[in-house]
Amino acid sequence: MDTLSYKTISANKSTVDKQWLLVDAEGETLGRLASKVAKLLRGKHKPNFTPHVDCGDNVIVINAEKIKLSGNKWEDKEYLRYTGYPGGQRSTTAKELLDKHPERIVEKSIKGMLPKNRLGADLFRNLKVYAGTEHNQEAQKPKAINLNDYK
């Protein structure tokens, strides 16, 4: 028996097959949507997944303003940031963030589920989030997918 025929195939930048996927966020719960999109960005749904390589797909999320949060999270959930000055901690509620920048709620939740290193930063660049139904990636011919088909 030839032992060399059973080698593990490791993906690299030239062998990865990247696609453009379109996800509709209308009526989806924020955390469940974010975890599924993070898996698509990471490439964990592909058989040739390699942990240290960007082998995920490019994902476009539309209708970001129509996501759902359960309970009182629209008023209770706070997003903190720090200006860099003493006493400069600022907070905004999820409702305020939805009114000003609805795409940032989805972006923040997905970014928190990606690796905290250079690979995570590269993966985050493969994500495009839009508040409405219009997006600028028609030329890439994205394939519309149903997130319920993925675990």
Side-chain angles (χ1 to χ4, degrees):
M1 184 165 104
D2 187 14
T3 59
L4 297 176
S5 63
Y6 296 106
K7 289 201 172 194
T8 302
I9 297 169
S10 182
N12 59 30
K13 208 175 229 183
S14 61
T15 62
V16 170
D17 177 39
K18 293 177 88 61
Q19 298 177 348
W20 283 84
L21 303 176
L22 181 68
V23 174
D24 190 1
E26 184 173 1
E28 296 282 339
T29 307
L30 178 63
R32 295 173 190 270
L33 167 89
S35 65
K36 290 176 184 175
V37 170
K39 283 180 192 170
L40 293 173
L41 285 170
R42 190 87 203 274
K44 286 197 162 192
H45 63 291
K46 295 185 177 184
N48 63 345
F49 170 69
T50 308
H52 65 279
V53 178
D54 176 8
C55 54
D57 294 326
N58 298 298
V59 180
I60 304 164
V61 179
I62 58 172
N63 291 325
E65 80 272 352
K66 296 179 182 172
I67 57 157
K68 292 191 306 186
L69 287 177
S70 61
N72 294 330
K73 289 187 192 143
W74 286 117
E75 290 82 26
D76 295 345
K77 185 171 178 65
E78 286 190 334
Y79 292 96
L80 298 175
R81 63 186 177 88
Y82 181 62
T83 63
Y85 289 95
Q89 186 174 359
R90 306 285 186 255
S91 67
T92 56
T93 63
K95 187 68 177 160
E96 292 169 357
L97 197 59
L98 182 79
D99 294 339
K100 284 188 177 183
H101 307 285
E103 62 278 347
R104 286 195 193 163
I105 293 180
V106 177
E107 285 176 355
K108 281 175 150 308
S109 62
I110 294 172
K111 188 173 186 175
M113 297 182 185
L114 291 175
K116 277 63 171 180
N117 52 24
R118 280 178 289 184
L119 177 64
D122 289 342
L123 293 172
F124 186 67
R125 289 188 197 102
N126 296 333
L127 174 70
K128 310 284 183 207
V129 181
Y130 296 98
T133 57
E134 300 296 318
H135 60 87
N136 299 332
Q137 275 75 32
E138 283 91 7
Q140 282 74 29
K141 298 183 180 81
K143 184 176 86 173
I145 62 163
N146 185 6
L147 284 181
N148 295 329
D149 297 342
Y150 295 91
K151 285 187 178 179

